[in-house]
Amino acid sequence: AKDRKPKDLESVVSAEDDEMRALLYPSAPELFASLDALVGWKRGLLSSHFTSLLDSLLRLHAFSEVRHLSMANSLLLELALTADEQDYSEAEIRDKFKSLQEKSPLSSDADLNEEIESCASLLELARVFFNEFPDSYDIESKISSVSSIASWFNQIRSGDDQFKLTKKRFRASFDNGSQARMIKNAPSLKNFKEFLKYIVQQRVVDTGLEGQFDQGYWAQKTGAYRAAKWKMRISPVGSLLFAGLACRGLPSCTFSDISERMRKAGLSVSKTGKGQLHLNLKSLGLTIDSPDGVGGFLVSNPFKKHHHAK
């Protein structure tokens, strides 16, 4: 309504303190560690292979990070709307943000459309509420740290007229249904959905040749028919990538190591996902029979250099 200009991303992120950044982007350290490892493999890879691995890594992190941010925005909105009724301490606020990933992990067997609908709607709902405040209210400074959020909530309890007015309008639009209609027709909701879908779903390449498709996906159709559901899935490239990351430069790793590494990247490997991951690794020739290995096998490091005596 106000034709607001997009905020400068760097200035907004830099306004957050280290603790807040860690709560909002919990997978970031894992992404940087994975990028370091991937760059270390680069010399032994074809450029196209390196690009495929990098593409797969960034696609998973982009989806899981945005999904986590949508839940963080929703949590902040939920707390703010009850801050005039409840006394939230810094410790409580911190614990609620920390528990987000543990409470609702992204499953490797989740329905993609349901995940996207939920994620995009949460982002849009929070956007609608926080955009109600004028620039002079300086909403960014109020959520730049856990302590600033706690201080803002104290301000709300003490009688923040601007907040009370905004909350009243927001509640009224929710009750009469205008908010739901506005969100449903919002261009930004459509943009969120398109971004999230494009990031992870399998991109079919129309070349007229069978088998020519993207193998770095994180979501795949469950059938060839139009009504088939899109499900979160672990691709061959994703399996190869995380086998290398989980080995950490050693000759091999366990299946549990790979699952743990994926969890840190924001993806929880379901029972179906474990079976799929096993089949991918087996078809790639990376499984090693071992009575001591978890599940009876170890996984060979696909990027470990082997030096043979002459």
Side-chain angles (χ1 to χ4, degrees):
K2 294 183 180 180
D3 190 28
R4 295 165 66 111
K5 293 181 180 179
K7 300 285 186 186
D8 178 63
L9 179 61
E10 188 175 344
S11 69
V12 173
V13 174
S14 62
E16 297 155 357
D17 69 2
D18 290 341
E19 181 187 31
M20 200 66 200
R21 278 195 289 271
L23 293 171
L24 294 178
Y25 315 105
S27 301
E30 183 65 19
L31 172 60
F32 295 137
S34 298
L35 286 172
D36 283 342
L38 192 53
V39 170
W41 308 337
K42 191 174 187 297
R43 187 170 292 180
L45 295 171
L46 293 173
S47 60
S48 58
H49 293 172
F50 173 78
T51 302
S52 295
L53 293 166
L54 177 62
D55 176 68
S56 185
L57 177 67
L58 295 178
R59 288 166 73 178
L60 174 60
H61 274 274
F63 191 87
S64 65
E65 292 282 4
V66 172
R67 180 179 180 274
H68 183 82
L69 274 174
S70 72
M71 294 191 296
N73 272 276
S74 179
L75 173 61
L76 180 64
L77 175 58
E78 178 188 330
L79 295 177
L81 290 175
T82 55
D84 55 349
E85 304 159 4
Q86 296 187 45
D87 183 5
Y88 293 113
S89 67
E90 282 191 34
E92 284 178 305
I93 295 169
R94 188 177 293 110
D95 288 343
K96 286 180 182 295
F97 275 102
K98 281 182 177 179
S99 67
L100 273 182
Q101 268 193 322
E102 297 169 7
K103 284 199 305 184
S104 307
L106 175 62
S107 170
S108 61
D109 196 41
D111 184 297
L112 176 64
N113 288 330
E114 287 180 5
E115 286 291 336
I116 287 177
E117 189 69 37
S118 172
C119 180
S121 298
L122 290 177
L123 281 168
E124 183 61 17
L125 186 65
R127 189 192 70 81
V128 167
F129 178 74
F130 291 119
N131 272 5
E132 282 288 308
F133 294 96
D135 288 340
S136 58
Y137 196 78
D138 196 12
I139 200 77
E140 276 84 8
S141 69
K142 289 178 168 55
I143 55 176
S144 60
S145 66
V146 173
S147 60
S148 68
I149 293 173
S151 296
W152 182 34
F153 289 173
N154 282 327
Q155 178 185 333
I156 292 170
R157 276 193 304 280
S158 300
D160 185 328
D161 292 336
Q162 176 65 56
F163 181 86
K164 286 184 177 179
L165 182 62
T166 303
K167 176 180 174 178
K168 186 177 180 180
R169 284 200 307 264
F170 186 75
R171 292 285 195 196
S173 67
F174 181 84
D175 292 339
N176 64 29
S178 62
Q179 184 187 112
R181 290 191 297 273
M182 180 174 65
I183 288 176
K184 183 179 179 181
N185 299 318
S188 48
L189 182 70
K190 182 182 177 183
N191 292 340
F192 288 143
K193 289 181 179 179
E194 286 182 354
F195 167 76
L196 290 164
K197 186 173 287 189
Y198 176 78
I199 282 293
V200 290
Q201 75 177 21
Q202 185 180 38
R203 306 164 188 161
V204 178
V205 181
D206 187 12
T207 60
L209 300 173
E210 287 189 20
Q212 295 296 308
F213 57 84
D214 157 38
Q215 294 190 47
Y217 59 84
W218 292 98
Q220 189 181 39
K221 260 201 165 189
T222 54
Y225 52 99
R226 179 175 291 184
K229 288 188 175 182
W230 283 90
K231 292 276 192 175
M232 298 300 295
R233 291 286 187 261
I234 302 169
S235 66
V237 171
S239 302
L240 185 77
L241 168 68
F242 276 88
L245 293 173
C247 285
R248 300 179 185 274
L250 298 174
S252 63
C253 64
T254 67
F255 194 80
S256 294
D257 292 333
I258 299 176
S259 297
E260 176 61 16
R261 195 79 196 237
M262 284 187 175
R263 188 193 65 76
K264 288 182 178 179
L267 185 71
S268 173
V269 183
S270 64
K271 187 175 181 180
T272 302
K274 287 178 181 177
Q276 186 180 30
L277 180 58
H278 187 193
L279 286 175
N280 284 342
L281 295 169
K282 191 173 181 180
S283 67
L284 291 167
L286 295 177
T287 56
I288 310 168
D289 288 334
S290 169
D292 298 325
V294 176
F297 68 93
L298 292 173
V299 179
S300 178
N301 187 345
F303 307 109
K304 179 72 175 174
K305 295 179 181 178
H306 300 284
H307 300 283
H308 303 284
K310 292 183 179 179

